Amino acid sequence: VSQSRYSGGRMKEVDNFVGLHSHTVFSNGRMLDSINRPEDIVNTIVKLNQKAVGITDHGTCSGLMDVYTEIKKYNKKHDANLKMIFGIELYYTANVFIKQDDLSHILFLAKDNIGLENLYKMTTVAHGNKGLNPENFYKYPRVDLDIIRQYHEGLICGTACMGGIIKRQDKMDVLAGLKDIFNDDLYIELHTVQEPEQYEFNNVAIECGNKLGIDFFAANDAHYPSPNEHITHKQFREAKNEKGDEYYKTNDYYFHSGEETKNKLSYLPTDIVERAIANTVKIAL
């Protein structure tokens, strides 16, 4: 079946990429993490002619239904078939019973209704399980391998950004543990941020994946709709930090097209980049 649709008097090819790592204004509990409103996200993926989007806010599922509602509204109005992948970015720790600062970002995407149910359950547990397990929460909603194993069914796991699993000293052990749990549903993320630290990070990530037989997907880590909004996002972030915000050092944290994603990862092996981009569609659709 040809993946194209009629637009503006010509057939327009559907983009060969899906953003699976995206944040909304709800991310990190509205703690000035992202300026992507639900309507911004829908308008952006429509403009890019992408068929789906993954929503993975930091530490919360609060924004999922808002984006889902906006997508359903668009689909009904335009007789379209945009898809949303429900997800979250939680915080991995070696042991939730120990209050230590060894937190690493970790991504989860729901494959089906079972996965969505487990996504909600895991998030609830990470927040302290409604007060039943307060030790699970320390600064951020945390999970360890035992919790992940308990709620992994129906989920896809990603290694997240430069704040994720690959930054850890024990990364190979953690990746091996996740591989044992998720098998082919574990992916190492290759991000499009254009700075030397990310270049080195992605190369290390590929080494890890090749050693352990873990596949890859390309990611944008979208915190604002387009590059034009990076100044607005910077000002938004600085509202809570008078000294300024050094976390987002470049203007790359927006929704990319497949071609732009490919170009920004062009310093990596071509076959891996092409597979990482193709995997975003495979995961989403």
Side-chain angles (χ1 to χ4, degrees):
V1 178
S2 175
Q3 288 196 353
S4 60
R5 66 181 181 182
Y6 190 75
S7 177
R10 63 186 177 87
M11 297 301 290
K12 187 175 181 182
E13 291 298 318
V14 173
D15 195 26
N16 65 341
F17 175 75
V18 172
L20 297 175
H21 190 129
S22 311
H23 300 275
T24 77
V25 290
F26 293 89
S27 191
N28 207 14
R30 290 189 180 273
M31 293 298 288
L32 307 184
D33 182 54
S34 166
I35 61 172
N36 286 322
R37 300 171 301 173
E39 58 268 32
D40 295 330
I41 294 171
V42 175
N43 290 337
T44 301
I45 64 171
V46 168
K47 183 177 179 180
L48 291 171
N49 208 30
Q50 294 171 353
K51 297 297 290 181
V53 65
I55 302 300
T56 55
D57 284 338
H58 283 286
T60 181
C61 294
S62 300
L64 293 177
M65 288 309 299
D66 288 67
V67 180
Y68 180 71
T69 299
E70 198 69 28
I71 285 179
K72 293 286 283 185
K73 188 190 307 181
Y74 178 88
N75 284 343
K76 183 176 181 180
K77 182 176 180 180
H78 298 276
D79 191 24
N81 191 31
L82 299 182
K83 181 179 178 181
M84 177 185 144
I85 301 92
F86 289 69
I88 193 169
E89 192 169 6
L90 289 172
Y91 299 83
Y92 172 84
T93 186
N95 188 333
V96 294
F97 294 102
I98 301 175
K99 294 185 177 181
Q100 56 187 359
D101 295 320
D102 74 331
L103 301 180
S104 307
H105 298 180
I106 186 168
L107 201 83
F108 299 101
L109 300 167
K111 295 195 297 181
D112 49 32
N113 287 336
I114 293 175
L116 182 58
E117 185 176 343
N118 278 326
L119 187 78
Y120 290 148
K121 287 180 179 178
M122 188 189 300
T123 303
T124 300
V125 169
H127 278 273
N129 199 13
K130 299 180 180 178
L132 297 177
N133 305 102
E135 65 278 354
N136 292 4
F137 189 94
Y138 172 66
K139 295 186 177 180
Y140 298 95
R142 305 180 304 155
V143 293
D144 56 21
L145 285 181
D146 288 339
I147 291 174
I148 293 169
R149 184 176 289 107
Q150 185 175 356
Y151 298 105
H152 80 279
E153 186 179 357
L155 294 177
I156 289 169
C157 180
T159 55
C161 55
M162 285 192 286
I165 300 299
I166 306 297
K167 77 169 184 176
R168 300 179 62 88
Q169 293 295 316
D170 61 346
K171 57 182 173 291
M172 298 305 288
D173 290 337
V174 177
L175 287 171
L178 291 171
K179 175 72 172 175
D180 182 62
I181 294 170
F182 288 98
N183 197 10
D184 291 339
D185 284 329
L186 172 65
Y187 290 86
I188 289 177
E189 298 180 42
L190 302 176
H191 282 249
T192 51
V193 175
Q194 298 294 283
E195 61 173 297
E197 185 180 358
Q198 184 72 66
Y199 303 155
E200 180 181 356
F201 189 88
N202 280 346
N203 277 297
V204 171
I206 288 175
E207 290 178 10
C208 294
N210 287 339
K211 285 180 181 178
L212 294 174
I214 302 171
D215 211 347
F216 311 92
F217 74 72
N220 302 151
D221 200 2
H223 287 257
Y224 41 92
S226 72
N228 297 331
E229 281 91 4
H230 80 277
I231 294 298
T232 303
H233 180 252
K234 179 179 175 63
Q235 294 170 341
F236 178 75
R237 291 277 297 173
E238 288 176 348
K240 74 170 184 178
N241 184 358
E242 294 179 357
K243 296 181 180 179
D245 180 17
E246 295 300 322
Y247 186 83
Y248 302 95
K249 298 176 183 178
T250 71
N251 66 336
D252 298 301
Y253 294 87
Y254 60 90
F255 292 92
H256 292 45
S257 68
E259 189 64 27
E260 189 173 13
T261 299
K262 183 178 179 179
N263 289 338
K264 287 194 173 183
L265 296 176
S266 61
Y267 60 92
L268 299 172
T270 302
D271 61 327
I272 289 179
V273 173
E274 290 180 350
R275 191 166 78 244
I277 291 173
N279 279 340
T280 66
V281 177
K282 173 186 171 184
I283 290 167
L285 303 178

